[in-house]
């Protein structure tokens, strides 16, 4: 049974996964080489705890217990040495993932399972960076992790059934619903989301409507909880562009990134994390 979880990468997804795991009773270490990112993650997780108490989602006692189970570290060598499950949540760059999986393969105990929180990349390729590909799988969490109910579980070519079963049970203990799919670029959700988000940028580029009206049309007309621009700003337009570039390379022309999206990323308009994306969050006061 998984009890000790290490989350590598303390960005938006990593901190969300660490929070949910700690609240669910796991012993968690959130690991990042960037000390400032760890400080930011700790502050953000404290805010989530506070809001959870305000909204009666958790009690003070549950918050205190979860905080005792959650630790922050920049020492990956030490943190992974007793892990049962390592969840990697670093940027979608294969060279970064390769260096991490090669390192944790050397450092983690033999029974430890490896999961990559990727929305598009191949768990088969990532598993090939280790000597235990049968224990490598993808766990695709959704942002914000503490609110979104789904974890998309993606099997690599070598992933064995024991790993699938343990990961499903772990996600269930995190109070998540799961779907298990076979590997193919973009899986299920990312292929659809990337197409919708990219098409919205083409519409904006063509002057069909304002971002507000396009988002409103999608939300009220198709019953989406968020519009494509709202979601893109939340996830990060750089992340959306990385995903599209990968899908364009692997699946073809229909995923070619809209030129306007490329411009936004070049301009540093990445979304909520920079204060400005499609929308300006500095003027809204909610960046």
């Amino acid at each position: 049974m998984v009890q000790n979880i290490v989350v590598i990468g303390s960005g938006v997804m990593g901190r969300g996964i660490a929070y949910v795991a700690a609240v669910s009773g796991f012993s968690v270490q959130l690991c990042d080489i960037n000390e400032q990112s760890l400080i930011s993650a700790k502050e953000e997780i404290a805010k989530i705890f506070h809001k959870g108490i305000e909204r009666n989602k958790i009690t003070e006692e549950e918050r205190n217990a979860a905080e005792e189970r959650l630790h922050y570290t920049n020492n990956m060598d030490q943190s992974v040495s007793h892990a049962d499950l390592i969840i990697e949540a670093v940027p979608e760059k294969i060279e970064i993932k390769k260096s991490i999986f090669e390192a944790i393969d050397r450092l983690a105990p033999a029974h430890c399972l490896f999961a990559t929180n990727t929305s598009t990349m191949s768990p088969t390729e990532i598993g090939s960076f280790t000597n235990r590909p049968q224990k490598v799988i993808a766990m695709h969490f959704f942002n914000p992790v503490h609110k979104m109910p789904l974890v998309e579980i993606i099997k690599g070519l070598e992933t064995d059934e024991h790993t699938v079963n343990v990961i499903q049970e772990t996600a269930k203990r995190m109070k998540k619903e799961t779907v298990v799919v076979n590997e193919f670029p973009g899986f299920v959700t990312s292929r659809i989301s990337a197409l919708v988000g990219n098409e919205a940028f083409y519409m904006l580029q063509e002057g069909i409507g304002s971002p507000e009206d396009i988002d409103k049309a999608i939300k009220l007309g198709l019953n989406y909880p968020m519009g494509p621009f709202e979601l893109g700003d939340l996830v990060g337009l750089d992340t959306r562009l990385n995903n599209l570039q990968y899908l364009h390379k692997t699946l073809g022309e229909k995923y070619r990134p809209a030129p306007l999206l490329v411009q936004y990323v070049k301009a540093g308009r990445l979304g909520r994390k920079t204060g400005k994306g499609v929308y300006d969050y500095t003027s809204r006061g909610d960046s």
Side-chain angles (χ1 to χ4, degrees):
M1 179 183 291
V2 170
Q3 187 53 44
N4 298 307
I5 294 178
V6 175
V7 181
I8 298 178
S10 62
V12 172
M13 296 306 296
R15 64 188 63 174
I17 296 167
Y19 168 84
V20 167
V23 169
S24 303
F26 296 96
S27 177
V28 183
Q29 294 200 56
L30 181 57
C31 180
D32 200 304
I33 59 172
N34 187 322
E35 189 66 35
Q36 188 55 50
S37 182
L38 285 173
I39 293 170
S40 174
K42 190 171 185 178
E43 291 172 350
E44 179 63 27
I45 288 172
K47 291 178 184 177
I48 299 174
F49 276 126
H50 180 70
K51 288 180 182 177
I53 292 170
E54 279 187 339
R55 297 171 183 173
N56 296 316
K57 300 292 185 182
I58 60 172
T59 65
E60 290 273 5
E61 292 76 16
E62 289 170 334
R63 189 269 304 275
N64 293 338
E67 286 186 327
E68 287 185 8
R69 289 190 291 265
L70 178 55
H71 306 279
Y72 303 83
T73 179
N74 56 16
N75 188 334
M76 187 174 74
D77 293 20
Q78 187 176 72
S79 65
V80 305
S81 61
H82 300 289
D84 301 315
L85 169 64
I86 299 172
I87 304 175
E88 165 270 312
V90 302
E92 297 278 69
K93 299 287 187 181
I94 195 65
E95 63 273 11
I96 301 176
K97 293 182 186 291
K98 183 175 188 290
S99 66
I100 287 173
F101 277 85
E102 287 176 344
I104 62 177
D105 190 43
R106 293 193 305 269
L107 299 165
H111 74 275
C112 184
L113 305 182
F114 297 164
T116 174
N117 175 55
T118 182
S119 56
T120 57
M121 302 185 85
S122 164
T124 298
E125 182 177 10
I126 291 169
S128 75
F129 304 144
T130 76
N131 291 308
R132 59 183 95 183
Q134 74 280 6
K135 295 182 178 180
V136 178
I137 200 166
M139 292 182 79
H140 180 202
F141 290 84
F142 295 81
N143 186 27
V145 179
H146 64 289
K147 293 181 180 180
M148 298 295 282
L150 182 67
V151 175
E152 192 177 24
I153 297 172
I154 303 95
K155 299 185 292 184
L157 181 65
E158 304 289 343
T159 308
D160 63 24
E161 286 305 308
H162 171 74
T163 299
V164 174
N165 293 337
V166 171
I167 294 302
Q168 279 190 290
E169 179 60 29
T170 300
K172 182 179 179 182
R173 288 170 62 192
M174 293 180 183
K175 299 181 175 60
K176 299 296 185 185
E177 296 287 339
T178 63
V179 293
V180 178
V181 300
N182 292 314
E183 179 188 324
F184 203 80
F187 317 138
V188 174
T189 57
S190 293
R191 286 177 68 173
I192 298 296
S193 179
L195 280 175
V196 172
N198 200 38
E199 189 61 28
F201 264 98
Y202 275 114
M203 290 179 180
L204 184 61
Q205 179 178 299
E206 294 159 5
I208 290 176
S210 68
E212 292 84 358
D213 282 342
I214 293 171
D215 273 350
K216 185 177 182 180
I218 297 300
K219 286 191 289 185
L220 300 184
L222 300 181
N223 203 28
Y224 279 37
M226 298 180 72
F229 295 125
E230 292 172 322
L231 179 59
D233 277 358
L234 179 64
V235 172
L237 297 183
D238 53 338
T239 299
R240 171 54 52 81
L241 179 58
N242 283 339
N243 289 348
L244 280 165
Q245 288 170 333
Y246 177 77
L247 292 172
H248 180 226
K249 183 174 71 174
T250 54
L251 294 179
E253 194 61 25
K254 65 182 176 180
Y255 289 96
R256 178 182 293 276
L260 184 61
L261 171 59
V262 177
Q263 282 186 311
Y264 273 49
V265 173
K266 286 181 177 178
R269 293 175 59 166
L270 308 184
R272 286 181 174 269
K273 61 187 174 184
T274 58
K276 192 174 184 180
V278 177
Y279 298 111
D280 187 342
Y281 299 93
T282 57
S283 60
R284 293 180 176 200
D286 59 353
S287 60

